[in-house]
Every structure is written in C-alpha cells, then in structure tokens.
Amino acid sequence: MAQFRLQGSKVLAVDLTGDAVKAKNGSMIAYDGRMTFKKMSGGGEGLRGMVTRRLTGEQMTVMEVRGEGTCYFADRATEINLVSLNGEKLHVEASNLLCTDAGLRTGTTFTGLRGASQGNGLFTTTVEGAGQAAIMSDGPAVVLRVSERYPLQVDPGAYIAHTGNLRQHFQTGVSFRTFMGEGSGESFQIRFEGEGLVYVQPSERTTVGGDV
C-alpha cells in the first residue's frame, strides 16, 4: 500500500512500491524513480459518477499515478491534512480532495440543499475503504468532534469534510453573522448530529445563495 507523509504542511509525499494512487489532475510537482501517469475520466466510479458531476457542475478531474519511488503533490500552497480510513466513509468537497490510495472507492452522494447553497451541485464526493486520503484546506484545518449530546453548527463556506455516523440538516435564515446583527438576506448553516468528526477550515470559500 502507498505510504503518505507530509513534507511540511503544504506538500504531500507518497512512497510507491509498484502500487498506485489517485490524485487531483495537475497536482504532481516532482517525483523520483519510475512513474506512469494516466488521466481518468469523471472522478466517481462508473457512469453514475460521471453523469452526476456533469449535471451538477462538480468538477473532480483525477489522474492515476503508478510506479516505484516517491511522488510529491501540492495545490496552490494549500494546507494538507491526512485522513486514515479503516472501512468507514469520508465525505469531502471535491475541490478539497488532493489524493487517495488507488484501492479506496470514490463516488458521489446526494447532499440536498447544502450542496446547492455552495454552488457545487447536489452531490459531494465520497471516499470509502481502507487506506489514506489527503484533503486540502485554506489554512490549517480544525477537526471537531460531534456527539449525540453535542451537535455542531458549521458555516457552509468553512466546511471541508466529515466522517462517522452523522446526520446533516440544512438550516436557512440563520448564520454566524446574523448573531452579530450583520446578516442580510437569506443565510445558511449546516447542523451535524450523531457521532463523528467534521473538518473545517479557518477561511470561507465563496458561496452562492446568501450570507454564509
């Protein structure tokens, strides 16, 4: 299995011994050893993944990197965070996914209005299986734990990814700016309930659909 490690906080080094990884197209910045690169269509597996991405506008162009040696990945000097999966499922915004073990299954899942509010379509990317994934954040990511006793409210523009048995509720009419009397127009929050982890970034991406 490929070995993921960080070189600083903004470069991912992947050691390969004949195996492969899937990475964001164009994110390779250097490599040593012998490598082959193959552009992959879609981003999810199968026809459904390709079709839903075209319909929703969520773009995730990936490449397969296979070989022996070390390959280095980065994207616009964003922070990189490693996520280890042991059979569970990672939900992540397509724009925040940098690299995964080739053995991990990627696809799409319906997220309802939350996806529409961000202009990323009604689907988000899923990564499932046993292995490692690298996700990106604008600034150092914060990992927040959600429990049945302590649900979590998240600004959609700061949300990156989540794992665990979590339920999402899309709430309109309220945002963190609303609490301070600075909100205007329609505003949104995501409420997470259940047991799991939520990854957020200390920066808000440009969103569509109101004050977030």
Side-chain angles (χ1 to χ4, degrees):
M1 184 178 292
Q3 298 298 312
F4 286 42
R5 53 190 172 87
L6 294 179
Q7 296 282 94
S9 62
K10 299 179 181 180
V11 175
L12 170 69
V14 180
D15 299 317
L16 298 171
T17 56
D19 32 21
V21 294
K22 291 181 288 188
K24 183 176 181 179
N25 197 45
S27 64
M28 189 275 293
I29 59 172
Y31 73 91
D32 59 43
R34 295 177 296 173
M35 300 286 172
T36 60
F37 303 88
K38 182 175 69 175
K39 186 175 180 179
M40 303 176 69
S41 299
E45 293 180 347
L47 182 61
R48 179 180 177 274
M50 295 174 65
V51 170
T52 53
R53 290 178 195 282
R54 286 177 183 162
L55 289 177
T56 62
E58 185 184 41
Q59 299 298 316
M60 183 187 169
T61 306
V62 299
M63 60 181 177
E64 181 187 78
V65 182
R66 182 181 299 274
E68 296 183 357
T70 302
C71 200
Y72 300 88
F73 302 94
D75 185 46
R76 296 170 297 172
T78 53
E79 300 281 334
I80 301 172
N81 313 270
L82 298 183
V83 180
S84 295
L85 298 176
N86 295 297
E88 64 266 49
K89 182 182 292 186
L90 169 72
H91 295 77
V92 57
E93 294 297 320
S95 59
N96 292 99
L97 183 61
L98 177 64
C99 186
T100 70
D101 277 315
L104 291 173
R105 300 181 298 279
T106 55
T108 53
T109 188
F110 182 73
T111 58
L113 293 175
R114 183 190 62 76
S117 75
Q118 295 184 28
N120 290 343
L122 296 178
F123 293 81
T124 194
T125 298
T126 59
V127 182
E128 187 173 10
Q132 285 192 293
I135 61 177
M136 299 177 290
S137 59
D138 186 3
V142 177
V143 185
L144 302 174
R145 181 170 296 278
V146 182
S147 67
E148 291 290 355
R149 185 177 178 183
Y150 296 105
L152 181 70
Q153 311 283 132
V154 176
D155 188 309
Y159 168 82
I160 302 172
H162 72 269
T163 59
N165 185 22
L166 292 177
R167 304 178 298 278
Q168 298 179 63
H169 303 282
F170 181 75
Q171 297 182 328
T172 61
V174 62
S175 76
F176 297 108
R177 290 192 181 93
T178 304
F179 296 149
M180 303 301 295
E182 298 175 356
S184 61
E186 186 113 26
S187 50
F188 308 93
Q189 279 185 11
I190 314 168
R191 180 181 175 90
F192 289 94
E193 299 175 349
E195 299 284 342
L197 300 174
V198 177
Y199 294 76
V200 297
Q201 62 184 6
S203 175
E204 296 180 68
R205 66 175 65 83
T206 301
T207 59
V208 178
D211 242 344
V212 294

